Amino acid sequence: MIPESLLNEIADALVEPGYWISDQAMPTDIGRGLLRAFETLQADEFKTAGIGRQTDFQLEEKIRADKIHWISANSPETTQFLQWMDALKTGLNRRLFMGLFDYESHFAHYPVGAFYKKHLDAFRAKGGQPSSNRVLSTVYYLNESWLPDNGGELLIYNEADSEVIEKVSPVFGRLVIFLSEKFPHEVLPANRERKSIAGWFRVNEGRLS
Ligand code: OGA
Ligand code: MN
């Protein structure tokens, strides 16, 4: 389902520099289907997103202002997407022995002006209990005719968190994959509503301890 040459390219990029960005990775049909599925959802099917185990919603709203809907294989469109991610998981496990175990993902709707402040998707376990088992992050964008003026870029910082190394415009069909523990990142506000799918490959809990 994913060409071997593409899997090789992604695996190489994850070894160094640790992230990969492409506009041609996923078949356009899958992207169109996902946009259809996204647009079928009613406003009340999107919930205020949380951050980790944080339960203070006022604090959360200062950090992220997107609304999310968790994806499941309940439609042909989302099933196709999840199958593609499953093929990616298998391909990367064969090449990098990452031990990727499952994949969770959600549609994210950023209303005009919404942002997501700088964060890491996972924290490296420092002895004791691991704080997260997310190891590989994906972001896929669904915004047709997105212009540079619309803003809403994903900023990716270096591991030392000292400089921005990528400024990614959320254009339709663009896929970003990065090591969850390595790269702080943030979403800048946009002057248009912004649609994305964030997802994470996780390792089995037991493997971390
Ligand atoms: C996230 C995230 C980035 C984006 O949901 O954790 O960083 O560009 N999203 O939507
Ligand atoms: Mn993130």
Side-chain angles (χ1 to χ4, degrees), residues 30-111:
I30 299 185
R32 300 249 158 262
L34 288 167
L35 182 54
R36 234 176 9 250
F38 195 124
E39 284 172 347
T40 308
L41 294 168
Q42 304 298 309
D44 68 359
E45 293 178 275
F46 284 86
K47 305 292 178 212
T48 300
I51 36 174
R53 298 194 174 86
Q54 185 58 256
T55 51
D56 178 345
F57 276 92
Q58 270 170 344
L59 175 65
E60 285 177 8
E61 279 171 15
K62 290 189 184 130
I63 295 173
R64 65 186 296 186
D66 57 327
K67 298 272 189 288
I68 66 166
H69 176 93
W70 289 98
I71 291 178
S72 64
N74 61 358
S75 72
E77 289 85 359
T78 53
T79 300
Q80 264 201 314
F81 171 72
L82 294 173
Q83 283 172 347
W84 195 90
M85 286 298 177
D86 201 61
L88 178 61
K89 180 183 83 177
T90 306
L92 293 178
N93 280 342
R94 286 208 181 112
R95 286 165 178 76
L96 302 175
F97 307 102
M98 291 182 79
L100 305 178
F101 181 72
D102 69 358
Y103 181 72
E104 57 181 358
S105 57
H106 61 60
F107 288 117
H109 176 240
Y110 289 73

Side-chain angles (χ1 to χ4, degrees), residues 116 119-121 178 185 200:
Y116 192 159
H119 64 282
L120 275 172
D121 286 345
F178 58 95
H185 55 281
W200 300 271

Side-chain angles (χ1 to χ4, degrees), residues 110-115 146 150-153 170 188-194:
Y110 289 73
V112 172
F115 51 80
W146 193 269
N150 295 136
E153 293 93 346
L188 299 180
N191 57 22
R192 247 182 82 177
E193 61 170 358
R194 177 189 191 275

Side-chain angles (χ1 to χ4, degrees), residues 53 101 129-133 202-209:
R53 298 194 174 86
F101 181 72
Q129 285 301 305
S131 49
S132 168
N133 55 350
R202 301 187 302 182
V203 292
N204 199 342
E205 287 289 351
R207 290 176 51 96
L208 289 171
S209 43

